[in-house]
Amino acid sequence: MPSHTILLAGANRGLGLGLAREYLGRGWQVVATARDPDKAKALHELRSAHQGALAVERLDVADPESGAALAGRLDGRTLDVLFVVAGVSGYKDVPIHEVPPEGVAREFVVNASGPVTLAETMQPLLAPNAPVVFMTSVLGSIAGNTTGGWELYRASKAALNMFASSYALRHRERPVIVMHPGWVRTDMGGPNAPVSVEQSARGMAEVIEARTTPGIAYLDYQGATLPW
Ligand SMILES: NC(=O)c1ccc[n+]([C@@H]2O[C@H](COP(=O)([O-])OP(=O)(O)OC[C@H]3O[C@@H](n4cnc5c(N)ncnc54)[C@H](OP(=O)(O)O)[C@@H]3O)[C@@H](O)[C@H]2O)c1
């Protein structure tokens, strides 16, 4: 049986790297991207351990030309899942009125518009009912904001949720997931997070596999529906 292919956009470290391991373990072909593939040591080690199953590609989600170049290099392949994992969390302890405008713009492009722009660019490569998954956060829930903090990050993920919902309306045949991975021990999540990368990656892969209904869902790594 031919194996399936997933494109993991932003897999140099953290959750993207964990998802690469998880899908390779499931026997999938994995295309994993890094901003600088020459320095993607962990991905190259993984590629050596899984001969032929992992391709490492260059991508900056903030740069539409980088996305178009990647689509060109992947021409002829079919993607069974697209998962845009990349994200940044700057200015966590700073209220929005103290963030410089260029900082706001950068975080919105990387976290919100860039992922959806990439999904549109990859559209010709996607299998007809391939799920598209955007890594959001529970912090992107407006209803769930009871504590404040992380103002720019929260707003950029709420914007991602909204862009993803418009994307889902343009592609009504497709399951679209905005995924909260849990609070996970990565560079971003920090050492005190309760969930391991392995636990989160396994859970997310199961949630994606189970989600075959077209339309958008805001889910966490255990399959729970989150409030918008
Ligand atoms: N960890 C958590 O608890 C948690 C909770 C909720 C949501 N999330 C979300 O999960 C995703 C992954 O987070 P993480 O915890 O794995 O964080 P991480 O360890 O900081 O990794 C972030 C990843 O995003 C990539 N990236 C950043 N900017 C990029 C760009 N412009 N183009 C392409 N790739 C870019 C990084 O690549 P480089 O290595 O090149 O910098 C890295 O691979 C993010 O979207 C984050 O917001 C995480």
Side-chain angles (χ1 to χ4, degrees):
M1 197 178 79
S3 76
H4 291 99
T5 302
I6 184 167
L7 171 57
L8 294 168
N12 187 39
R13 58 195 163 98
L15 285 162
L17 185 61
L19 283 161
R21 284 206 178 89
E22 173 66 31
Y23 276 92
L24 287 167
R26 288 171 178 248
W28 283 49
Q29 297 283 313
V30 175
V31 181
T33 78
R35 282 190 285 186
D36 186 352
D38 297 337
K39 293 186 183 151
K41 193 165 166 277
L43 279 177
H44 291 305
E45 283 171 8
L46 204 53
R47 186 173 55 182
S48 304
H50 294 269
Q51 283 299 338
L54 174 65
V56 182
E57 293 284 350
R58 181 182 302 277
L59 176 72
D60 181 341
V61 291
D63 176 5
E65 285 180 16
S66 170
L70 174 62
R73 292 195 300 279
L74 297 181
D75 191 24
R77 294 192 75 160
T78 300
L79 303 176
D80 299 291
V81 175
L82 166 62
F83 196 151
V84 190
V85 183
V88 289
S89 57
Y91 304 97
K92 293 193 280 271
D93 304 321
V94 182
I96 193 62
H97 57 278
E98 291 176 12
V99 181
E102 55 279 13
V104 176
R106 173 77 191 162
E107 195 143 328
F108 267 73
V109 172
V110 174
N111 285 0
S113 61
V116 179
T117 302
L118 180 68
E120 286 295 352
T121 305
M122 292 298 157
Q123 178 66 17
L125 302 180
L126 292 176
N129 299 315
V132 170
V133 189
F134 299 103
M135 193 77 96
T136 186
S137 168
V138 70
L139 297 184
S141 167
I142 292 174
N145 185 10
T146 54
T147 58
W150 292 61
E151 292 189 16
L152 175 57
Y153 180 78
R154 280 180 189 277
S156 71
K157 293 294 190 180
L160 171 62
N161 291 356
M162 180 59 88
F163 285 138
S165 114
S166 297
Y167 171 86
L169 292 170
R170 279 196 299 279
H171 302 282
R172 288 175 188 267
E173 75 292 355
R174 204 171 281 301
V176 176
I177 303 172
V178 280
M179 179 78 83
H180 171 57
W183 179 20
V184 187
R185 289 188 293 279
T186 63
D187 291 342
M188 186 185 292
N192 297 325
V195 182
S196 70
V197 168
E198 293 72 22
Q199 267 177 297
S200 175
R202 194 180 324 120
M204 290 190 286
E206 278 163 20
V207 169
I208 293 166
E209 191 177 353
R211 182 84 197 168
T212 51
T213 328
I216 193 162
Y218 186 10
L219 302 174
D220 76 4
Y221 76 110
Q222 295 176 310
T225 296
L226 300 179
W228 295 96

